[in-house]
Amino acid sequence: MATAPLARPDIDALREPQRLIPCSTEIPRSAAPRPWPRAERPLAVRVTGAGRTMDLDEFLDLTCTTSLVVIVDGTLVHERYFHGVTPEDRLLGNSATKSALALLVGTVADLDLDAPARSYVPELDDPACGYREVTVRHLLAMTTGVDWAEDHRDPASPAARLVAPLREGRGSLREQLTSIPPGRTPGTSFTYCTADSLVLDWVRERATGLDFATHLGRLWNDLGAEHPAVVGQDPHGVAMAGGSLAATARDWARLGLLQMDGRVDGRALVPQEWTDTSSRPGEPFLHPGRLPVSITAHAGFGHHWWPLDAAGRRVTADGMRGQFVYADRDRRVVVVKTSAWPHGDAWADMQYRDLCYLALPAIAEAALNA
C-alpha cells in the first residue's frame, strides 16, 4: 500500500455521476423527509492495519475519504466531508448499489428463492445460457457458477463490456445476460459477478412489475430520504442495478439502518427474517475468511451484503474505490465511508479495502464509547 495518500484524489466520476453518463433517472426525495437527530461528538479511533496503528485522521487521509457519517441508534453523532464534497452531493456507491437491490428483493412478497430464475425470466430458458439452471438464491449469493471474470481494469473483459451500455449510452444491459455461458455447477462455489445482480434485478422486476427506479423510489420515500438519489440506466431504461446508485452520505446511512431489522421509526419496511437471512453467509465457503483472498480476507458474502462474522451481526455494503455502508446490527451503529482511492493497482486496492474492513468496526466502537 502507498505510504501517503494521493495529493488530488479523482472524485469527478464519483460525485454527481449523472454528469458523465448518457442516461440516468432521478429518485425523488421523500415526501416527508426526516433529517437525522444530531448529537455530534469527536471520535477517538485507533485503526490497526497495514503494518501499523493510526488515528482516524490518518486512516481517512490514507484511504482517500470523501465523506464519513456515523449514526448511533438513529442519531447522527459524527459527520465529515473532504476534497470539496458537501452533504448535498450525490456520491456513487458503485457496488454498494447491490445491497440496496437486496433490500428491494426483500420487499417482494411470495418470491420463491429456490425457483429457477427462468421461471420469472423465460428469456434465460436456453441450454446455452449459463443462468438456465440457476435459482434466485444462487443469484443472491453469487453462487451461480456462470463463466465470468469480474475485472473492470481490462476494457475487453466481460465485466467492462457489461457496463458499456451505461457508459456509452448504446446497447442493452440485459441482452448480454442471456449469452453468458455456464461454468461450474450452481451452488458449489462463489464468484463475484455483477451479471448475477442484473439477472436478480430482472427477476425482481418481473415479480413486481416495477422497474428498479420506481421500486427504489417507493423505498426512498418510506425511508424519509432528505435528498433525491440518481440511478444510471441503459438507453432502454434498464437500471445498472449492480452499481449505479448515487446518494448523499446521510441517505446512504438509511440503507444501513434498514438492514438492522427492516424497521424505520417503528414501521416494518422489510421483513426482519429477510435482513437476518441476507446478512448471513449461507454456505461454508461464503463465511468470512473463506472468499478468494483477492477480494478480502475479512468478510464473507450473504445475500448481496458482506458479513464480517458468521452470524451476520456486522455487515457492510461495499463498492469499488471504497464505498461502504457498515451496520453493527446488535448495537445499531451505521458507518458510511465514501472514498476515491485509485483503482488501477489491484494490490493497493485490495489493501485499502482490507484496511477499511478493520477500521469500520473500530469507528463504530469509538462512536459507542464517545
Side-chain angles (χ1 to χ4, degrees):
M1 180 185 294
T3 57
L6 294 182
R8 292 183 178 179
D10 171 24
I11 67 168
D12 288 345
L14 299 170
R15 177 173 56 183
E16 300 293 337
Q18 73 279 5
R19 298 176 295 106
L20 303 175
I21 57 177
C23 305
S24 64
T25 189
E26 190 165 89
I27 310 297
R29 74 171 191 164
S30 174
R34 294 189 292 277
W36 295 103
R38 306 178 73 94
E40 294 188 63
R41 49 190 182 260
L43 301 182
V45 182
R46 303 297 290 173
V47 177
T48 300
R52 64 185 189 272
T53 297
M54 61 193 81
D55 63 18
L56 180 59
D57 286 343
E58 184 180 1
F59 162 73
L60 296 174
D61 199 29
L62 178 64
T63 56
C64 305
T65 303
T66 54
S67 74
L68 179 70
V69 169
V70 184
I71 309 292
V72 176
D73 199 20
T75 297
L76 192 155
V77 301
H78 197 81
E79 181 178 38
R80 298 168 70 181
Y81 297 90
F82 306 86
H83 305 295
V85 171
T86 74
E88 288 72 39
D89 284 332
R90 275 88 62 91
L91 304 171
L92 182 63
N94 288 324
S95 286
T97 306
K98 294 177 172 70
S99 298
L101 171 61
L103 285 165
L104 294 184
V105 172
T107 70
V108 183
D110 302 323
L111 182 67
D112 184 353
L113 301 189
D114 295 310
R118 70 174 186 271
S119 67
Y120 293 95
V121 184
E123 291 89 336
L124 304 174
D125 193 7
D126 182 327
C129 177
Y131 288 104
R132 186 173 188 271
E133 303 303 326
V134 165
T135 68
V136 179
R137 195 181 303 275
H138 294 146
L139 295 169
L140 282 159
M142 293 193 178
T143 58
T144 61
V146 297
D147 187 5
W148 185 260
E150 186 87 8
D151 183 2
H152 293 278
R153 297 177 181 89
D154 178 0
S157 72
R161 294 197 304 271
L162 181 69
V163 302
L166 176 74
R167 184 178 60 249
E168 299 172 3
R170 54 188 174 88
S172 166
L173 289 169
R174 288 179 176 167
E175 186 177 78
Q176 302 178 69
L177 300 176
T178 60
S179 62
I180 296 172
R184 297 179 178 176
T185 302
T188 64
S189 63
F190 171 83
T191 298
Y192 187 76
C193 180
T194 292
D196 289 357
S197 301
L198 296 189
V199 176
L200 177 64
D201 185 56
W202 205 352
V203 168
R204 179 210 56 75
E205 182 177 302
R206 289 290 173 82
T208 63
L210 301 173
D211 63 37
F212 182 84
T214 300
H215 198 171
L216 181 62
R218 294 183 180 185
L219 184 64
W220 214 240
N221 181 68
D222 291 342
L223 286 171
E226 295 180 73
H227 295 88
V230 65
V231 175
Q233 301 175 318
D234 73 8
H236 305 279
V238 173
M240 169 46 80
S244 70
L245 176 62
T248 67
R250 293 175 191 167
D251 284 338
W252 273 114
R254 299 177 195 279
L255 299 179
L257 185 68
L258 188 59
Q259 188 65 14
M260 303 289 183
D261 57 11
R263 303 179 72 85
V264 172
D265 293 336
R267 180 184 177 191
L269 303 183
V270 180
Q272 183 173 346
E273 181 182 2
W274 177 260
T275 59
D276 288 343
T277 299
S278 61
S279 296
R280 289 194 301 264
E283 300 286 350
F285 56 80
L286 297 175
H287 281 223
R290 306 287 180 85
L291 299 183
V293 69
S294 59
I295 296 176
T296 179
H298 299 289
F301 202 71
H303 287 174
H304 278 45
W305 285 87
W306 302 81
L308 278 67
D309 61 88
R313 304 314 302 171
R314 295 175 296 126
V315 299
T316 193
D318 180 346
M320 186 171 66
R321 298 187 66 191
Q323 324 313 320
F324 295 96
V325 183
Y326 171 83
D328 184 323
R329 301 178 62 227
D330 287 329
R331 300 193 290 180
R332 301 188 64 80
V333 183
V334 176
V335 181
V336 172
K337 178 197 186 310
T338 64
S339 319
W341 70 55
H343 184 63
D345 185 332
W347 178 249
D349 179 69
M350 182 179 67
Q351 291 190 80
Y352 282 126
R353 176 173 286 105
D354 278 351
L355 182 58
C356 288
Y357 274 105
L358 296 170
L360 293 167
I363 294 170
E365 184 72 27
L368 285 166
N369 295 326

